[in-house]
Amino acid sequence: MNDLRFKEIEHKFVVEADFDLDAFRQAVAALRPLRHVTLRVCDRYFLTEAGRVRGFVLRHRFDRELHELTLKTVVADAEVRDEVNLALRPGDQVAQVDAFVEAQGLVWKGALWKDLTVWHFDDCEVVHYVATAGDRTVTCVEFEAIRKDSLAHALAVLTRLEVATGFDAATRTHASLPALLWPEALADLGARP
């Protein structure tokens, strides 16, 4: 696995209501992030006929920093998976994205809102968010490698930050966020290696 340009390498931890967010914020701030931002994000997910066969979803994300269409594989362990991002121009392109996806044979769609804080480092992003889809909510902490010189290096970066923030003893989830919020819609996709 030499070319990691189109790979997402991350560890996701589902946290409970009693999670000490203040202590976590202090631990991350002590690591001196380059910057941090708080956002409200809308993510719209689509499963197409090709996605059902090949094991991927499309995500349309728009917030004040990003507007992109992303292909993400849904696999049994989301630690390393395919992710291809296409930047979209600023402005409302919901109708264009819907038409693009529907032309591919739309099988399922779902939307979620995330209230998140992102701490940016030169080699990693640390994210805390509350994701809500209808009456379902999940709160997560994610560590995502940004610089991916090698898989071993990227995983070492994640481990370093997990140790520094107290997540080294925690059990990460293997599921992707869509699989956590819509397990019935994506159940057969998550079984892929």
Side-chain angles (χ1 to χ4, degrees), residues 13 24 49 54 60 65 68 97 116 123 167 174:
F13 299 87
F24 178 71
E49 291 172 2
R54 299 185 53 109
H60 179 214
E65 292 197 348
E68 61 189 11
V97 170
L116 53 86
D123 54 1
F167 274 86
H174 295 266

Side-chain angles (χ1 to χ4, degrees), residues 23-192:
F24 178 71
R25 285 181 175 139
Q26 291 173 9
V28 177
L31 300 172
R32 299 183 178 265
L34 300 173
R35 70 183 186 105
H36 84 278
V37 63
T38 301
L39 297 167
R40 181 158 175 81
V41 175
C42 181
D43 285 346
R44 299 184 322 131
Y45 285 89
F46 305 93
L47 178 61
T48 62
E49 291 172 2
R52 183 175 49 200
V53 171
R54 299 185 53 109
F56 67 84
V57 294
L58 299 174
R59 179 189 70 196
H60 179 214
R61 169 173 284 174
F62 50 95
D63 60 46
R64 71 175 187 257
E65 292 197 348
L66 292 174
H67 190 188
E68 61 189 11
L69 187 62
T70 303
L71 180 148
K72 288 179 168 268
T73 52
V74 178
V75 293
D77 185 351
E79 179 180 53
V80 179
R81 62 185 177 151
D82 294 346
E83 179 180 89
V84 181
N85 292 300
L86 299 174
L88 301 177
R89 73 174 192 268
D92 183 354
Q93 294 185 66
V94 169
Q96 290 89 335
V97 170
D98 286 349
F100 178 83
V101 171
E102 287 170 10
Q104 298 177 57
L106 181 62
V107 174
W108 170 88
K109 66 180 176 178
L112 63 85
W113 285 94
K114 287 201 294 195
D115 293 299
L116 53 86
T117 301
V118 183
W119 292 269
H120 296 273
F121 296 88
D122 66 340
D123 54 1
C124 185
E125 288 180 353
V126 178
V127 184
H128 172 272
Y129 62 82
V130 178
T132 304
D135 62 351
R136 297 177 181 178
T137 298
V138 65
T139 303
C140 297
V141 169
E142 290 182 2
F143 301 88
E144 181 177 350
I146 300 302
R147 190 173 48 206
K148 300 173 270 193
D149 302 329
S150 69
L151 180 57
H153 177 263
L155 293 173
V157 167
L158 301 183
T159 298
R160 176 178 51 83
L161 287 163
E162 289 165 11
V163 169
T165 58
F167 274 86
D168 53 317
T171 302
R172 73 174 176 86
T173 183
H174 295 266
S176 66
L177 180 58
L180 288 171
L181 288 171
W182 300 291
E184 64 286 345
L186 304 176
D188 57 339
L189 295 181
R192 298 175 191 279

